[in-house]
Amino acid sequence: MFFTQTRSPRLPGRPVPATVLNNMALSIRSLFAPSRTGTLVLGTLLLAPALTGCKLIDQRTFDPNAGKPPKPYIPPTPPGPAPKAPFLQIEAGTPASEYGPIVEKAAKAALARKPNVLFIVQGYAPMQPDPAAQAQTLSDLTKQQIAPIADRIAAAGAQPIQIEIHATTDPSIQHARVRVDVR
């Protein structure tokens, strides 16, 4: 008994004995036949890898974000306003003969415009390696730069109560400076 395969242009036609086909069918049926314990042993082992590759079709198949809570778009905060330009700014080490007349003239102009103006004289020093050096730098800045500028403002006609003095550290600068603001 022979079963003849139809001829295809790709496969040569060889006869396959019918016993081979019957034996294959029997062996496949025996794989799925229950064993003594009533479980499908070999059939389950053969089908398990085939079933793990299956994926159920649901809404996430077409939209991976389906079922997830929405994340609202929060725009970044807009940049703050640009820092206000100082009324005067003097770099440390500038001689008094250079900045003196300019400070007096600016102070007189501010007093003429607003008689009760407040002059805020702020000294900024760079960071120092230790606290003792930092205190010494701020003390030197106050004596050598801030106090003479405040004296020039007072000489222009400002009352001592109209002059506010500060000295602070600014890690973003390399050289000390004095800034005069008005309010």
Side-chain angles (χ1 to χ4, degrees):
M1 219 190 250
F2 283 95
F3 174 76
T4 307
Q5 193 175 23
T6 59
R7 293 197 183 259
S8 145
R10 285 188 249 144
L11 299 172
R14 291 190 204 129
V16 178
T19 56
V20 172
L21 294 176
N22 288 336
N23 289 340
M24 285 177 59
L26 289 175
S27 62
I28 290 174
R29 267 189 249 128
S30 66
L31 289 177
F32 296 104
S35 64
R36 283 188 217 171
T37 59
T39 59
L40 300 174
V41 179
L42 193 52
T44 308
L45 292 176
L46 290 176
L47 285 179
L51 292 177
T52 57
C54 294
K55 182 180 174 194
L56 296 175
I57 295 177
D58 63 356
Q59 61 183 350
R60 289 179 300 245
T61 304
F62 305 104
D63 181 10
N65 294 322
K68 295 179 183 175
K71 293 182 181 176
Y73 173 73
I74 301 172
T77 57
K84 187 177 160 187
F87 181 64
L88 292 171
Q89 184 166 321
I90 302 154
E91 294 292 324
T94 306
S97 60
E98 284 185 31
Y99 70 78
I102 296 170
V103 170
E104 287 180 16
K105 183 178 178 182
K108 286 179 183 178
L111 286 167
R113 187 168 188 162
K114 183 178 177 186
N116 64 347
V117 68
L118 175 65
F119 294 96
I120 303 168
V121 183
Q122 297 174 324
Y124 297 98
M127 288 292 282
Q128 300 299 319
D130 59 16
Q134 190 67 44
Q136 184 62 41
T137 302
L138 291 173
S139 176
D140 292 343
L141 181 65
T142 303
K143 289 176 188 172
Q144 297 170 4
Q145 293 289 320
I146 298 173
I149 291 172
D151 291 341
R152 291 286 184 152
I153 293 171
Q159 299 297 317
I161 198 162
Q162 290 179 292
I163 302 170
E164 187 178 308
I165 296 175
H166 299 278
T168 188
T169 302
D170 186 359
S172 66
I173 62 172
Q174 298 297 321
H175 303 288
R177 67 180 60 137
V178 178
R179 179 179 170 149
V180 180
D181 289 309
V182 292
R183 191 176 323 152

